[in-house]
Amino acid sequence: MILEEAIRILREAAVPVMETERIPLAQASGRVLAKDLQAVYDQPPFPRSPLDGYAVRGEDTLCASGEEPVELRILGKIFAGEVFHGEVHKGECVRLMTGAPVPEGANAVIRQEDTDYEPGKTGDYIGPDSRVKIFRGASPYQNYVYEGEDYRKGDTLLRAGTVLTGMHLGIAAGAGREELEVYREPVITVISTGDEVVAPGGDLAPGKIYDSNRFTVVGRLADLGLCRVESWHCPDDPTAMANQIRQAGKNSDLIITTGGVSVGEKDIMHQVMADLKGEKLFWKVSLKPGAPTLAFVSGGDKVPVICLTGNPYGVAVNFELLVRPVLEKISHNPKISSKTRMGKLKNDSPKWGGVRRFMRGHYEEDRSEVTILAGSQASGTLSSMAVCNCLVEIPEKSRGKAGEDVKIYLL
Ligand code: AMP
Ligand code: MG
C-alpha cells in the first residue's frame, strides 16, 4: 500500500477527541480552543489617554504656538486607574497620565512635552489656581483612544480550533477571562514488545538490548505537546499483549505498539489483532524503513492501534509519516502534522532504488540545502539520529544524486 493511502485510511479511522475542559489561562498555551471566544465588553472600556499630558477640549487649543501659547486652568490630576469626577469646560484641562480615562467634556490630549510642565512648578496640579501653557494644540480626538477602539462587546476574539499561543492568552486575559474551554488532550498508550528488550537502567544479560523505541515514541509525543501518555513494555506473549491493549483501549484515544509485526515466529501482533477481533486497516506500506507496519481498529472500544516495526529507525520514520497525521486529527491540532520542504541535496544518497526511502538528513533552512548524514543509515541503528533534523525522501525512481531537489520532512 502506498504511504498516502495508508495515511488516508488511518485518518479516516481516527476519531477526534470531542470532550472539552476548562483550564486556567496560564496552562492553556499549546492547547486547542474548543469554543469561539466573544468579548463581553468594549476594549478599552472607556476613552483613555495614550500619553502623559493634559486632557483638553481640542477646539480650545487649536491656535496654540510657541510664541502665543494657550493657557488653561488645571482642574485636577489623575493617574491610570483613577477617575476624574468632574467635567472639562472651555479654558480648562485635567492633568493625566497614560492609561487614565479622558474626563467628561475633554476630547483630546496634549503631550506634556508640548507644554511648560515642570514637576512641582508650572503645569503641575498644585491647587485650584494651577495653570499650564500649551505650545502646540491638538484637534478634537487627537491623542484620544476611543472606547472600544480595540474591539466591541460581542466581537469574536478567538475562533474555535485556534492552537493557543501566548498572544492568544494575552487577548483572552485582556477580555477578562481567567479560564478557557479547550479540547481534552488525547490519551495515548505506547507499548513496546520483544522478549529481548529490557528497560534502560538494568543490567544487560546476554542476547538482550535496551528498549529505545518506547522512549523515542514517548519523547516525540512530548515534543509535539502530547503528554497524557502511558507507556510500558510487554514480552512477546500474544495473550498478555491482547489483554493489555484491551485494557488500554478503555481510556485511550490511540494505541501505538512497537515490534512483532513482521513474519517471524515471534511476530505476535497479527495474533493479537485476531484475539482482539480487530478490524485490519492495512499491513505493510511501500517505504523503507519500517515497511511492515500493521494498523487495526480494536474490536471492543474501536480504538485505532498502530503497530510499528521494532527497528528503531523504522519506528522513528513511521512515527513521523504515519502517526503524526493521526495525532493531528485526534487532537484538532494542525501544528502536529509534519512540516515538509523542498531542499537541494548536497551529497549522493548511499541507498536508492526499489521503494521510497527515508534517509536521515540535516537541513539548512537558510540555504534550503540538505545533507544525508554520514554514518549508518541501517534501519536498526539510532546513533546517526543525534544530529538529524529531517527525513529526506528518495523517491522510487530517483537515484538521490547531489543537486537533486528532494522533499524533506522536518522533525
Ligand atoms: P521486530 O520488529 O520485533 O522483529 O524487531 C526488529 C528489530 O528491532 C530487532 O532487532 C529487535 O531486537 C529490535 N527491537 C525491537 N524492539 C525494540 C526496542 N523496543 N528497542 C530497541 N530495539 C528493538
Ligand atoms: Mg520482535
Side-chain angles (χ1 to χ4, degrees), residues 364-379:
E364 290 159 81
E365 177 107 58
D366 46 345
R367 308 161 69 105
S368 298
E369 287 178 346
V370 62
T371 309
I372 292 180
L373 292 170
S376 175
Q377 291 275 350
S379 63

Side-chain angles (χ1 to χ4, degrees), residues 52-380:
D52 300 316
Y54 300 84
V56 300
R57 295 163 16 111
E59 52 273 36
D60 294 355
T61 69
L62 286 175
C63 58
S65 69
E67 299 78 52
E68 287 188 56
V70 168
E71 192 171 291
L72 298 176
R73 193 161 79 83
I74 309 172
L75 300 178
K77 171 155 81 173
I78 53 168
F79 294 90
E82 295 176 346
V83 173
F84 180 76
H85 300 285
E87 198 174 332
V88 175
H89 299 100
K90 192 169 168 46
E92 297 172 342
C93 67
V94 168
R95 170 137 177 85
L96 82 182
M97 311 303 152
T98 307
V102 176
E104 287 290 311
N107 61 14
V109 175
I110 303 289
R111 301 190 323 152
Q112 178 177 302
E113 294 86 333
D114 294 333
T115 69
D116 66 347
Y117 172 76
E118 267 188 66
K121 295 185 187 162
T122 55
D124 207 350
Y125 180 72
I126 316 286
D129 293 330
S130 302
R131 290 177 174 273
V132 62
K133 283 200 179 82
I134 290 165
F135 303 124
R136 187 198 281 186
S139 335
Y141 302 104
Q142 198 176 336
N143 301 332
Y144 180 96
V145 180
Y146 285 89
E147 175 179 347
E149 180 185 272
D150 193 348
Y151 51 80
R152 291 278 181 196
K153 179 178 175 176
D155 284 355
T156 299
L157 302 178
L158 300 174
R159 296 259 173 223
T162 301
V163 182
L164 297 165
T165 66
M167 296 298 174
H168 302 122
L169 301 188
I171 292 170
R177 296 291 294 262
E178 59 176 345
E179 292 183 331
L180 284 174
E181 186 154 349
V182 296
Y183 288 109
R184 162 174 79 65
E185 282 181 283
V187 176
I188 299 156
T189 296
V190 179
I191 312 174
S192 61
T193 69
D195 286 344
E196 77 282 30
V197 169
V198 297
D203 283 338
L204 207 54
K208 305 288 186 189
I209 55 166
Y210 288 124
D211 184 355
S212 62
N213 291 340
R214 177 149 79 93
F215 298 92
T216 304
V217 175
V218 171
R220 285 302 284 145
L221 290 168
D223 292 346
L224 301 174
L226 298 168
C227 296
R228 286 191 67 182
V229 177
E230 293 256 27
S231 74
W232 61 85
H233 174 259
C234 180
D236 288 326
D237 171 349
T239 310
M241 189 63 177
N243 281 335
Q244 289 178 13
I245 291 182
R246 198 177 288 115
Q247 198 58 31
K250 293 191 172 128
N251 64 356
S252 299
D253 300 292
L254 176 67
I255 297 172
I256 304 167
T257 72
T258 69
V261 286
S262 198
V263 294
E265 289 179 31
K266 283 267 182 164
D267 285 329
I268 60 166
M269 293 312 297
H270 308 278
Q271 181 61 43
V272 169
M273 174 174 68
D275 289 356
L276 290 167
K277 299 194 170 44
E279 178 203 331
K280 184 156 130 185
L281 298 173
F282 58 81
W283 178 41
K284 292 187 175 167
V285 184
S286 331
L287 60 84
K288 273 189 176 174
T293 303
L294 169 72
F296 66 91
V297 176
S298 73
D301 292 288
K302 303 280 174 214
V303 179
V305 184
I306 307 178
C307 311
L308 306 177
T309 166
N311 276 314
Y313 181 53
V315 167
V317 166
N318 278 275
F319 182 90
E320 299 305 316
L321 301 176
L322 282 170
V323 179
R324 280 176 73 165
V326 176
L327 297 171
E328 180 201 350
K329 182 164 177 197
I330 64 177
S331 64
H332 305 260
N333 185 345
K335 290 190 176 174
I336 282 180
S337 63
S338 300
K339 304 288 169 285
T340 60
R341 301 270 187 284
M342 292 304 288
K344 198 165 281 304
L345 203 50
K346 281 177 87 172
N347 53 352
D348 293 344
S349 172
K351 291 182 175 183
W352 53 275
V355 292
R356 280 159 94 171
R357 285 174 188 274
F358 293 87
M359 314 291 284
R360 283 155 258 213
H362 188 265
Y363 177 62
E364 290 159 81
E365 177 107 58
D366 46 345
R367 308 161 69 105
S368 298
E369 287 178 346
V370 62
T371 309
I372 292 180
L373 292 170
S376 175
Q377 291 275 350
S379 63

Side-chain angles (χ1 to χ4, degrees), residues 30-51:
R31 302 291 297 273
V32 183
L33 190 67
K35 284 205 174 125
D36 287 356
L37 179 71
Q38 252 102 26
V40 292
Y41 52 74
D42 295 344
Q43 177 73 351
F46 49 83
R48 73 179 173 205
S49 174
L51 40 83

